[in-house]
Amino acid sequence: MPTIKKEVILSGVGIHSGLPVNVVIKPYEKNGIFFKRVDLDDVQLIPARFDNVGETKFRNTTIGKLNAGHVQTIEHLMAALFIVGIDSAIIEINGAETPILDGSASEFIKKIKAVGKTEGDLKKIIVKKEVVVYAADVIKQLSLFVRLKLWMFNKINGRKVDGFVKLSPNQDGVLNINATLVYSEPIIGKQSCVYSYDGTKKSIDDFIKNFARARTFGKYSEWEYLKKRGMGRGANENNVIALNDAGDGTLNKLLWKDEFVRHKIIDAIGDMFTSGGVVCGNLESYKGSHALNNLVLKKLFSNPDNYDIVQ
Ligand SMILES: [Zn+2]
């Protein structure tokens, strides 16, 4: 049950809420990562676990019941805890959304790594049987109204609903991620990348060097639309890669040509860590989303034949 050695304090704004928020990551003597909404009268421990993930809104991972003590956009902080190797902590937060910082996992990792962790390894969740979930499975769970809106949006933007996320066993007992993005915007187009995590310093350094700084992205012209709907209010050119209207350029400079898909690796790492350990298997994400990542974990854990847990 490795935990953080000392308290870490982080401040910033939520990317969707736009509200200032403080986070204090504290050591915890029991197992699990829990958020604690200290701004509410009813202070409860909110498990950062796949089975407590609510509406993902397609753009982030939210735990707890919406508007009843939820915390949204936990994925980059979860990825940072995973990479440092911390599976036990209390995260006090005085708002409903973690700070976006620079839009990546880099700042979180730097601060948490500087403090360090106690002894111990993350538990392993060995994938024994293949499980796969499809974008159509996610859509099925939505209300008719939302489905209609989504259908319209996809039609207008020429987007196909053919994404999937698959977990399959491998012999090596490591997490291999293979992510592919397909966008009609020419600056993104089709991008793929792979990342392997085996707990060694080499794989951790690889993540820090080649993935952790990749930022989230969005279309500049969509910001106004999103803001009216309570999303993206904290987005600016310092924390989001902003695509221009033609989709053939960005308003801020890219760190890598394929920064978009590299960010998907951060999201996948953060989402898989809501399992409570290292998911040891091959994760194939084709046009993946937070909703699909969550659904594949739910499917994996729905049948004890699908996995083994090694402490
Ligand atoms: Zn993200």
Side-chain angles (χ1 to χ4, degrees):
M1 297 190 296
T3 188
I4 196 159
K5 267 196 180 153
K6 271 196 315 200
E7 247 179 57
V8 160
I9 302 171
L10 289 143
S11 302
V13 297
I15 189 168
H16 292 301
S17 65
L19 297 171
V21 66
N22 298 317
V23 160
V24 185
I25 310 171
K26 293 183 163 178
Y28 188 43
E29 70 284 359
K30 291 184 200 157
N31 185 231
I33 291 167
F34 295 90
F35 282 79
K36 205 166 157 183
R37 283 280 302 273
V38 292
D39 57 320
L40 301 178
D41 293 335
D42 181 21
V43 180
Q44 293 176 13
L45 292 183
I46 310 161
R49 278 182 56 92
F50 71 95
D51 50 6
N52 193 35
V53 169
E55 191 183 346
T56 56
K57 280 191 175 177
F58 300 109
R59 294 190 185 233
N60 64 31
T61 296
T62 298
I63 47 166
K65 268 210 182 105
L66 215 53
N67 302 320
H70 72 279
V71 182
Q72 64 174 359
T73 324
I74 65 162
E75 56 270 20
H76 305 162
L77 174 52
M78 289 300 286
L81 289 167
F82 176 85
I83 284 299
V84 181
I86 289 168
D87 69 3
S88 305
I90 298 284
I91 303 166
E92 290 185 356
I93 184 164
N94 67 347
E97 189 175 23
T98 64
I100 189 65
L101 306 178
D102 68 351
S104 78
S106 184
E107 285 294 303
F108 286 120
I109 294 175
K110 261 187 222 157
K111 285 241 177 170
I112 297 168
K113 216 168 164 254
V115 165
K117 69 171 195 82
T118 60
E119 298 259 310
D121 294 321
L122 301 177
K123 68 174 170 243
K124 289 184 168 186
I125 295 138
I126 314 283
V127 178
K128 281 167 61 190
K129 279 192 180 160
E130 181 180 298
V131 283
V132 55
V133 289
Y134 301 91
D137 299 330
V138 174
I139 291 171
K140 260 188 245 161
Q141 301 176 327
L142 305 171
S143 69
L144 186 63
F145 178 66
V146 177
R147 269 189 278 172
L148 268 173
K149 275 207 309 194
L150 194 65
W151 180 81
M152 284 287 288
F153 176 83
N154 287 332
K155 193 147 177 85
I156 291 164
N157 292 283
R159 289 187 190 167
K160 268 197 244 162
V161 185
D162 54 357
F164 68 88
V165 169
K166 181 161 76 178
L167 270 174
S168 55
N170 66 37
Q171 301 303 313
D172 326 318
V174 300
L175 170 61
N176 293 320
I177 306 176
N178 184 334
T180 298
L181 273 186
V182 184
Y183 276 79
S184 53
E185 286 78 7
I187 187 114
I188 307 180
K190 186 173 179 177
Q191 301 190 338
S192 294
C193 72
V194 294
Y195 171 67
S196 277
Y197 173 90
D198 61 7
T200 60
K201 187 176 179 298
K202 189 167 173 273
S203 72
I204 291 166
D205 288 347
D206 179 25
F207 183 86
I208 291 171
K209 188 168 170 238
N210 297 310
F211 300 96
R213 288 179 303 139
R215 294 157 295 171
T216 194
F217 55 92
K219 234 181 174 174
Y220 190 71
S221 58
E222 280 177 8
W223 286 7
E224 285 310 309
Y225 171 89
L226 288 173
K227 278 175 187 169
K228 275 187 202 137
R229 283 152 187 84
M231 288 188 278
R233 286 181 178 162
N236 63 53
E237 59 282 4
N238 296 318
N239 56 30
V240 176
I241 305 168
L243 304 185
N244 63 16
D245 281 352
D248 58 2
T250 53
L251 305 187
N252 34 14
K253 203 170 174 287
L254 289 175
L255 296 173
W256 301 275
K257 258 188 182 168
D258 63 350
E259 186 171 352
F260 308 96
V261 74
R262 288 181 195 235
H263 185 82
K264 285 283 167 183
I265 299 284
I266 300 178
D267 286 341
I269 287 276
D271 286 343
M272 285 305 113
F273 197 34
T274 60
S275 65
V278 186
V279 174
C280 298
N282 299 326
L283 178 76
E284 189 183 347
S285 169
Y286 177 78
K287 294 165 76 171
S289 62
H290 294 298
L292 277 173
N293 290 341
N294 181 245
L295 211 55
V296 86
L297 283 183
K298 282 181 176 152
K299 197 164 178 183
L300 178 77
F301 287 110
S302 70
N303 185 345
D305 293 342
N306 291 341
Y307 64 94
D308 264 339
I309 295 181
V310 181
Q311 290 290 345

